[in-house]
Amino acid sequence: MNDRSPALRRLRDTARPVARRARSLWRKAAAGWSRFRRSPATRRAAVAVAILALGVGAAAAGLALVGGTKADIGPFDTTVSIHPDVSGETKVKIPPLGDIIFDSHDGPIGLDLSLDSIDPVEAQYIMNSPDGFTTASQSLATDVTDAVIRVAVEALAIVTLCGLLVGALAFRNMRRALLTGVTSLAVTTALVGFAAGTLRTESISQPRYEGLLTYAPSVVGSAENIAENYEEYVGDLQQIVTNISGFYTLAMDMPQVGIEDDSIRVLHVSDLHLNPNAWHLMETVVGQFDIDAVADTGDMNDWGSEQEAEIFSRGVEQIDAPYVFVKGNHDSATTVAALAAYDNVVILDGEVQEIAGLRFGGVPDPQFTPDKGNLPGKEYVQQMLAESGERLAGAITDAGGADVAMVHEPPMAEPLAGVVPLVLAGHMHERSVSDLGDGTMLMVEGSTGAGGLRHFTSSSSGKMEMDILYFDPNTKALTAYDSISVGAGDNTDVTLDRTVIPLDDQVNEDEIQSGTESTAPQQD
């Protein structure tokens, strides 16, 4: 104990001056901070920083609250809006087809033009009249400019009001609240001015597409040709709106009767045949049209090999919806097993399951015929197909009915007449709609894979085809369908046709069971 005491005393003697100096420095710092806080200049600086911070925040909040202004631009009823956007793009929204995006200016403000509806009379006039282009070009640029100015003025008013409110709540002082509002106005004006100062009119010749428009560059025509043929910005814009009119009319001028917001939407696809582009197109349509389920009537593969099944089936992970599948004659047991491993896939094999509010019944193709040199006799094939259809008809009857039946080859559908209102099939690589009788409609899908890999060895220009089926959520009857065709290879273009089924011709499962008959409408 005595040996430690001198060491402790020396340590205390050394620490005391250090502690005294530390306390002295702390007192001086505290006194300096107190003087700094009491300084009028410091208080003014702190208030100025607070006003600036709150003004910038109010400007950002106000821009986020700007709803948009309605405007007539050419043949379109349009909503024009601005919003915070780091990239500073102009986006033309064409629901449900997708977006056209232009790198028109620098951020942090973006401009959106949403095409809400189209005047078909004016659109047809622009496209078909000799002076339609001239008439459109005379007012189009003015329409756009006026709409942008209106939405900018509205945005300045809203951010100023936000600044005043935030300043009043934060400071409870009229002068400081006014300064906060003025700061918000000044910041927003500077951002709008910066965006206008960085405007790149040549960007209209370099659009970027999203959604279905990715597959339809003809919507805006050849961007290079537009840039070459029109030196004026008004000419560029007029040409784009003219071309959009032609395609957009297909979507907006389609009959809307029978299409309700709560309709059950099923995407019918078939015969992908290893075309990877089919997955991308399906993913786009599922997202753009809010699809509830995908019905695939087979022939996903060509040879049914293990490599095909393992690699190509991975594309189903891109589909954000239940994926209902029946085997085609090019699909093997390995194909089916590979698909069944994914959580969103439902394999139908002679039973009825409820998916997305509809009862689906399905049966696989009894054949596996990738080798065309070793086929069974025609009569035997017909017998097998008929027996598979009868098997499904029995399963549907035992289950108490179904809303949709799925087979691969059309002959399999014949035993289902009078058993189910709607039968989906594929195999033929050609879209058709027919009446099986007894109130049953047969819809045969074209090749969603445009014939698959064989397309690249063929001189014909195939199309990727699919249909969106709309079902009444209460009766489960088919009310309408959209037929989508997308050019494959170099012929990339989109057509969209809608067929609405008259109310008197709509058939549901209850009417089938009671023996009510209907005639299936023919596609337009």
Side-chain angles (χ1 to χ4, degrees), residues 379-392:
E379 292 184 0
Y380 181 65
V381 169
Q382 294 299 318
Q383 180 182 345
M384 286 195 301
L385 297 177
E387 289 176 353
S388 293
E390 292 168 359
R391 174 191 169 201
L392 179 57

Side-chain angles (χ1 to χ4, degrees), residues 151-423:
V151 75
V153 171
E154 290 177 8
L156 292 175
I158 290 174
V159 298
T160 303
L161 179 60
C162 284
L164 291 172
L165 292 175
V166 170
L169 291 173
F171 298 113
R172 301 183 184 278
N173 178 287
M174 182 64 71
R175 179 172 174 273
R176 293 176 181 176
L178 181 61
L179 287 173
T180 305
V182 171
T183 300
S184 297
L185 175 62
V187 169
T188 307
T189 302
L191 294 178
V192 172
F194 179 76
T198 59
L199 181 65
R200 295 180 288 273
T201 57
E202 69 275 9
S203 66
I204 204 158
S205 66
Q206 299 173 331
R208 188 173 81 250
Y209 308 99
E210 293 182 355
L212 265 182
L213 297 182
T214 304
Y215 304 90
S218 65
V219 168
V220 295
S222 170
E224 292 77 10
N225 289 340
I226 293 173
E228 292 173 3
N229 296 334
Y230 292 86
E231 295 180 356
E232 300 292 333
Y233 174 67
V234 62
D236 293 337
L237 190 59
Q238 179 264 325
Q239 179 66 36
I240 283 183
V241 172
T242 299
N243 287 318
I244 290 177
S245 298
F247 186 60
Y248 194 49
T249 302
L250 294 174
M252 297 308 299
D253 195 33
M254 293 186 298
Q256 297 298 313
V257 178
I259 306 297
E260 303 294 340
D261 290 340
D262 59 351
S263 293
I264 302 173
R265 304 179 182 210
V266 175
L267 178 63
H268 180 203
V269 300
S270 191
D271 297 87
L272 275 61
H273 286 293
L274 299 178
N275 187 342
N277 288 332
W279 289 122
H280 301 305
L281 177 58
M282 291 158 60
E283 179 184 18
T284 297
V285 173
V286 166
Q288 293 291 126
F289 288 83
D290 295 325
I291 299 299
D292 296 300
V294 178
D296 186 337
T297 47
D299 272 5
M300 181 174 288
N301 290 168
D302 258 347
W303 299 94
S305 67
E306 183 176 349
Q307 291 77 11
E308 285 178 290
E310 178 183 355
I311 296 173
F312 189 70
S313 64
R314 295 172 187 169
V316 79
E317 291 185 301
Q318 300 173 217
I319 309 304
D320 188 21
Y323 196 92
V324 190
F325 181 80
V326 292
K327 170 190 161 317
N329 61 298
H330 281 263
D331 301 317
S332 64
T334 304
T335 304
V336 175
L339 275 174
Y342 295 95
D343 293 338
N344 63 322
V345 175
V346 178
I347 305 293
L348 295 179
D349 188 359
E351 75 272 16
V352 175
Q353 293 197 40
E354 183 170 335
I355 300 115
L358 295 174
R359 290 169 297 173
F360 288 84
V363 69
D365 194 308
Q367 300 186 92
F368 177 53
T369 57
D371 184 1
K372 298 300 182 183
N374 185 25
L375 296 177
K378 183 177 180 180
E379 292 184 0
Y380 181 65
V381 169
Q382 294 299 318
Q383 180 182 345
M384 286 195 301
L385 297 177
E387 289 176 353
S388 293
E390 292 168 359
R391 174 191 169 201
L392 179 57
I396 291 174
T397 301
D398 292 343
D403 303 304
V404 182
M406 295 172 56
V407 298
H408 179 62
E409 300 192 40
M412 300 169 67
E414 294 176 4
L416 296 167
V419 177
V420 65
L422 177 64
V423 183

Side-chain angles (χ1 to χ4, degrees), residues 92-157:
V92 180
K93 299 181 177 181
I94 311 177
L97 305 175
D99 303 329
I100 304 175
I101 302 170
F102 304 97
D103 185 18
S104 57
H105 59 279
D106 295 333
I109 289 180
L111 175 66
D112 287 354
L113 291 86
S114 179
L115 308 187
D116 302 323
S117 62
I118 188 170
D119 182 343
V121 175
E122 187 172 353
Q124 291 295 329
Y125 173 77
I126 291 174
M127 291 184 288
N128 300 326
S129 299
D131 61 343
F133 291 170
T134 303
T135 303
S137 64
Q138 290 174 347
S139 62
L140 195 59
T142 302
D143 292 342
V144 174
T145 302
D146 290 347
V148 173
I149 290 175
R150 286 204 309 274
V151 75
V153 171
E154 290 177 8
L156 292 175

